[in-house]
Amino acid sequence: MATTTIDAALVQKMFLAGAKNLESKKEWINDLNVFPVPDGDTGTNMTLTIMSAAKEVSAIANPTMESLAKAISTGSLRGARGNSGVILSQLLRGFTKEMSTTSEITVETLAAATQKATETAYKAVMKPKEGTILTVAKGISDKASEVALQTTDIEEAVSTIIDYAEEVLAKTPEMLPVLKEAGVVDSGGQGLVVVLRGMYDALTGKVTDFTITEPSAEFKAGSTMPGKGAAIDNADIKFGYCTEFIIMLDKEFNEKTEAEFKAFLSSIGDSIVCVNLDDIVKVHVHTNHPGQAFEKGLEYGQLTKMKVDNMREEHNQKVVAQSELQAAVAADAMKKKDAEDKKEEPKKDFGFITIAAGAGLADIFRGLGVDQVIEGGQTMNPSTEDILNAADKINAETIFVLPNNSNIILASNQAASIIEDKKLVVIPTKTIPQGITAMINFEMTRSAQENEEAMVESLSMVQSGQLTYAVRDTSIDGKEIKKDNYLGLGDKGLASVGTDMDDTLLEMLDTFVNEESELISLYYGSDVKEEDADELASKIEERFDGVDVEVQFGGQPVYFYIVSVE
């Protein structure tokens, strides 16, 4: 017997099944990242986005279309991370807007809702690009409209729509040459198809477990962290970098593996916290070689929430003598006190939020007047809600947001559209150097609009690059890349590939340093020694006569160097 309608109870199950299917395949989707760098995060961002909504959806005891629509839309909008996550949230927002007006979904309703979803998502992107998740979404809505004229059987319709979505996805490499060269389909489009497959499995009764365990990217302050054997070593701090990260496991991490991992951490540092919580592992270690800890963690899965603080630069260095939970509770209490103090201060005309990974970079931005530095960047995209929470702590009429990454701009814009009691102005900075330049060009005597114009205009004055390494073999822009090669990434894409760190960075600089260049700033990362950075600076000065070179500690993970040329 044909199924012609879907009620709210079944919609709830289908959404949760779609979210769980995406969560289970997030690492596979991450691996579809075009650039073979160690921070491909489309799957992670889409998972965290949809799981933010799934948590609210699973809490509804007696669902209606209206209550589900609100939970899905609000949860995904506030939890959206990265461009793929924001676009997914907009697709869900459009779909649920149409869904909320009915008591049950038919094939005809499905066609209208998918059309609204596509329209909403395209409007959210300033310059939509075909060959992406948007193309797959458009294929879905087009096929849904076609199928609505042919059948009333909703199982048949959804199956046909998903098959067509797979066809469109398979064609994305023909639309984007960079996908074809890398030998992958669009990761965002793949994520969307994975969600639909999970929903279809629930529709047809293939899956029956709809329990949601939130794959949080962080441990919330004040919460209990159940796990298998949290180990804490208390000793005098003799290692320079406080290193923290979370492993999102894709391999078995049993008691033996955990013991071996802790033994490795003990061999490179002290003050160790290693908490295994089902599919994620929270890691904290004091070490002189953060990169070694990251490399070891990558053996077990994808890394997120990577943070490195240079403890030797801290004025009040203390021995870690309390558990992670106690530290989290204390941090939460401090945040609440700071928020209360801020409310008592006179309201400022302007405030600033920026996103940066690395203690050195955070200090640089604070020195330039930034109020709130959100820990993040390419390795960990903050959510829309993270930005809203940071804005809530700033007592100012107008708050400028510097994303410093192209994958965080949409989430920033989304925060600006949601906030009610303040005005968020997003300066579309795509790199750390652009963010620094924008702050330097801010003047208190100007109006908000004048500052916005001046800061945006200043972005063209700086060129930037980053040096990292490849995690797999591939080919990009005609350049053959082998695993562990050094990669120089410029503003326009891959600039250099090599086996020597310094030579690869110099080759990258060759692509954008010219006769008008006056200053090169070199920000070295958490796994680079200061003397090595100074030596590289000398090589740069020899290579580019007449150009001044400044060396500063950035402390960023994954990227050995960030450079700017002005």
Side-chain angles (χ1 to χ4, degrees):
M1 182 176 176
T3 301
T4 58
T5 62
I6 302 174
D7 61 15
L10 184 52
V11 169
Q12 182 184 44
K13 293 176 180 178
M14 290 174 65
F15 182 77
L16 296 177
K20 290 188 68 171
N21 198 41
L22 178 61
E23 197 279 332
S24 69
K25 295 179 173 61
K26 63 180 180 293
E27 296 303 334
W28 170 53
I29 296 169
N30 283 339
D31 289 341
L32 294 176
N33 189 47
V34 170
F35 282 95
V37 294
D39 53 13
D41 52 9
T42 298
T44 300
N45 282 338
M46 293 183 74
T47 296
L48 291 171
T49 298
I50 201 168
M51 281 298 184
S52 177
K55 183 180 178 182
E56 295 190 27
V57 169
S58 64
I60 301 175
N62 299 300
T64 64
M65 289 297 186
E66 186 176 0
S67 64
L68 287 175
K70 183 177 180 180
I72 293 171
S73 180
T74 302
S76 61
L77 284 173
R78 298 186 72 89
R81 296 171 186 262
N83 291 346
S84 57
V86 172
I87 293 172
L88 176 61
S89 73
Q90 291 295 324
L91 287 169
L92 294 172
R93 179 189 180 195
F95 189 96
T96 55
K97 187 173 183 179
E98 190 72 28
M99 181 184 85
S100 65
T101 62
T102 184
S103 59
E104 57 185 15
I105 292 178
T106 64
V107 174
E108 186 176 346
T109 308
L110 188 65
T114 54
Q115 182 63 41
K116 188 67 175 179
T118 300
E119 291 174 358
T120 304
Y122 266 87
K123 288 178 181 178
V125 181
M126 187 174 295
K127 295 180 180 179
K129 184 180 294 185
E130 297 305 327
T132 66
I133 183 176
L134 291 172
T135 304
V136 177
K138 188 174 187 300
I140 289 169
S141 59
D142 288 347
K143 179 57 70 172
S145 297
E146 178 184 321
V147 171
L149 301 175
Q150 301 170 349
T151 183
T152 59
D153 186 334
I154 203 154
E155 286 189 19
E156 177 187 344
V158 173
S159 178
T160 302
I161 290 168
I162 294 175
D163 287 344
Y164 186 71
E166 293 274 17
E167 292 180 24
V168 175
L169 177 65
K171 294 177 182 177
T172 55
E174 302 302 323
M175 304 177 200
L176 280 178
V178 67
L179 294 176
K180 187 173 184 178
E181 188 175 14
V184 295
V185 296
D186 178 67
S187 55
Q190 183 67 76
L192 182 58
V193 171
V194 165
V195 172
L196 293 181
R197 286 287 181 196
M199 296 177 74
Y200 182 70
D201 286 344
L203 175 63
T204 56
K206 185 177 180 180
V207 296
T208 56
D209 180 10
F210 307 106
T211 305
I212 292 295
T213 302
E214 185 181 9
S216 177
E218 60 188 346
F219 290 101
K220 294 180 176 62
S223 64
T224 301
M225 298 185 295
K228 292 178 272 185
I232 303 176
D233 293 335
N234 294 316
D236 292 338
I237 297 176
K238 57 183 179 181
F239 298 94
Y241 299 102
C242 177
T243 306
E244 299 178 36
F245 56 97
I246 290 175
I247 307 172
M248 304 182 75
L249 296 171
D250 57 18
K251 294 182 180 179
E252 183 179 4
F253 196 84
N254 53 33
E255 291 183 7
K256 180 181 177 182
T257 308
E258 183 175 349
E260 292 174 349
F261 183 50
K262 289 175 182 176
F264 173 79
L265 295 176
S266 296
S267 72
I268 64 169
D270 67 3
S271 296
I272 296 163
V273 176
C274 180
V275 181
N276 182 6
L277 181 60
D278 295 330
D279 60 346
I280 60 176
V281 178
K282 169 73 174 180
V283 182
H284 171 282
V285 60
H286 290 177
T287 178
N288 287 326
H289 301 286
Q292 292 182 14
F294 292 148
E295 287 286 348
K296 190 66 177 179
L298 283 168
E299 293 181 11
Y300 306 111
Q302 181 84 2
L303 303 189
T304 186
K305 286 297 175 185
M306 302 160 72
K307 180 181 178 182
V308 178
D309 290 324
N310 186 340
M311 296 185 296
R312 293 191 178 100
E313 290 192 349
E314 296 178 0
H315 297 294
N316 300 312
Q317 180 175 326
K318 296 181 179 180
V319 175
V320 176
Q322 295 180 316
S323 70
E324 188 76 4
L325 178 59
Q326 290 171 317
V329 171
D332 189 46
M334 184 62 73
K335 287 179 181 178
K336 289 179 180 178
K337 183 179 183 302
D338 288 343
E340 291 174 359
D341 291 343
K342 287 286 184 182
K343 290 179 180 178
E344 294 177 1
E345 296 175 0
K347 182 170 285 189
K348 303 189 297 181
D349 291 331
F350 305 111
F352 302 91
I353 297 171
T354 195
I355 293 88
L361 296 176
D363 287 344
I364 290 170
F365 277 112
R366 291 190 186 100
L368 290 171
V370 171
D371 300 278
Q372 291 289 321
V373 180
I374 301 175
E375 182 73 19
Q378 185 60 28
T379 55
M380 43 184 173
N381 300 151
S383 66
T384 296
E385 187 157 25
D386 290 333
I387 297 168
L388 290 171
N389 289 341
D392 188 53
K393 298 173 184 175
I394 302 175
N395 192 15
E397 296 283 353
T398 301
I399 300 173
F400 292 93
V401 182
L402 309 174
N404 301 334
N405 188 291
S406 59
N407 207 32
I408 305 175
I409 293 175
L410 281 183
S412 301
N413 288 336
Q414 191 148 279
S417 68
I418 293 175
I419 199 166
E420 297 178 351
D421 58 337
K422 301 171 184 177
K423 180 181 180 182
L424 292 190
V425 178
V426 179
I427 307 299
T429 54
K430 296 181 179 180
T431 65
I432 290 292
Q434 284 189 348
I436 292 172
T437 297
M439 284 302 302
I440 291 174
N441 281 271
F442 173 84
E443 290 186 14
M444 189 63 70
T445 56
R446 296 191 187 125
S447 67
Q449 183 175 344
E450 289 171 335
N451 269 307
E452 180 182 3
E453 292 172 355
M455 293 167 82
V456 171
E457 185 178 352
S458 72
L459 303 187
S460 62
M461 298 165 55
V462 60
Q463 292 179 288
S464 54
Q466 303 173 95
L467 189 77
T468 186
Y469 62 94
V471 295
R472 69 171 188 272
D473 295 353
T474 188
S475 174
I476 297 177
D477 296 338
K479 295 182 174 68
E480 290 298 321
I481 300 170
K482 299 296 182 183
K483 184 177 181 296
D484 296 327
N485 278 171
Y486 293 106
L487 303 179
L489 306 175
D491 291 329
K492 297 180 180 180
L494 183 64
S496 60
V497 179
T499 56
D500 180 85
M501 182 184 295
D502 290 2
D503 289 347
T504 306
L505 188 138
L506 290 168
E507 184 181 339
M508 176 181 67
L509 287 175
D510 282 336
T511 65
F512 50 79
V513 175
N514 55 42
E515 294 179 354
E516 297 180 357
S517 301
E518 298 177 351
L519 174 65
I520 296 177
S521 297
L522 192 67
Y523 305 92
Y524 64 94
S526 59
D527 208 30
V528 176
K529 297 178 181 178
E530 184 177 1
E531 54 266 34
D532 291 337
D534 289 336
E535 183 179 342
L536 175 58
S538 297
K539 292 180 181 179
I540 294 174
E541 289 175 339
E542 291 177 10
R543 185 110 161 199
F544 305 104
D545 187 43
V547 177
D548 293 328
V549 180
E550 289 185 354
V551 178
Q552 298 191 60
F553 172 68
Q556 68 275 2
V558 178
Y559 292 88
F560 302 110
Y561 292 102
I562 295 174
V563 296
S564 67
V565 179
E566 301 174 67

